[in-house]
Amino acid sequence: MNLTLRPFVAVVIAVASLSSLSSLFVAGSSSAATVPECSYSTMKVTLGATYVGGAGYAAGTRLVPILFTNKGVACHLPLTGPKIVAFRSAKVGKKTTAQDSHPALWKERWVVLAAKAHVEALFEIVALPSASMNTRACGEATATGLTVSGFGQPLASWIYFARSLPGVCFYAGPTPATINVKEVWVGAVK
């Protein structure tokens, strides 16, 4: 009888080990889901100085650091992520109106910010060949500011930063749009 219980005990130990191991994987993958979504009121957003990108960037690419500071408890950014858009004033007929560039796309998921943490994203303005910039698909112009939204609840909240940013593509239709801006997630900073 002693010999027949040994294989059974070994199987029970193996199954118990695997079930506790699998619970670790489930907890690790869903831990971000248990952290509340960030609130607009507890987030502080600031812009750093614009600079020209070095190695790994196309010549003339300009970068604008955007720093997100969580002043509250640990939270995660909304899954749609921050939306960064360049704006300018445009004269259409006799009216002056605001025109926006295409938004930079957010590619990150489950970005968790610890309490009192600072994280950074970069807004890139890629210098395209002049033949691409001076077309109706691009409509190159100087942006007069950036809006940053979607970094906390309510999602409709946004912040405007006045900043002169030359060389941004603003769609001038009706051809397909040329986009020369994007958002790159850097992550935690000290």
Side-chain angles (χ1 to χ4, degrees), residues 37-43 45 68 75-83 148-158:
E37 202 163 58
C38 295
S39 168
Y40 176 84
S41 63
T42 61
M43 296 292 293
V45 181
F68 298 89
C75 63
H76 73 82
L77 292 178
L79 295 181
T80 53
K83 182 178 176 183
V148 181
S149 62
F151 54 87
Q153 291 296 334
L155 287 177
S157 299
W158 52 274

Side-chain angles (χ1 to χ4, degrees), residues 7 9 15 25-26 30 56 60 82 85 91 93 95 112 119 147 151 156 174 179 187:
V9 170
V15 169
F25 286 122
V26 171
S30 64
V85 179
K91 193 148 179 92
K95 277 201 228 174
V112 176
V119 293
T147 60
F151 54 87
I179 300 168

Side-chain angles (χ1 to χ4, degrees), residues 8-79:
F8 178 73
V9 170
V11 168
V12 169
I13 291 171
V15 169
S17 304
L18 288 174
S19 67
S20 65
L21 187 60
S22 67
S23 69
L24 284 175
F25 286 122
V26 171
S29 64
S30 64
S31 63
T34 61
V35 176
E37 202 163 58
C38 295
S39 168
Y40 176 84
S41 63
T42 61
M43 296 292 293
K44 179 180 177 185
V45 181
T46 54
L47 295 186
T50 303
Y51 65 96
V52 176
Y57 290 98
T61 297
R62 284 163 294 122
L63 305 168
V64 180
I66 301 171
L67 189 68
F68 298 89
T69 302
N70 178 12
K71 300 182 295 182
V73 298
C75 63
H76 73 82
L77 292 178
L79 295 181

Side-chain angles (χ1 to χ4, degrees), residues 144-182:
T144 55
L146 291 176
T147 60
V148 181
S149 62
F151 54 87
Q153 291 296 334
L155 287 177
S157 299
W158 52 274
I159 298 174
Y160 177 79
F161 297 95
R163 174 75 57 100
S164 180
L165 300 165
V168 175
C169 286
F170 289 93
Y171 181 61
T175 59
T178 298
I179 300 168
N180 74 330
V181 296
K182 70 178 182 175

Side-chain angles (χ1 to χ4, degrees), residues 2 4 21 25 40 68 80 96 101 104 117-119 122 131-132 135-136 143 145 148:
N2 205 5
T4 58
L21 187 60
F25 286 122
Y40 176 84
F68 298 89
T80 53
T96 300
S101 67
H118 307 283
V119 293
L122 291 173
S132 299
T135 63
R136 290 183 63 77
V148 181

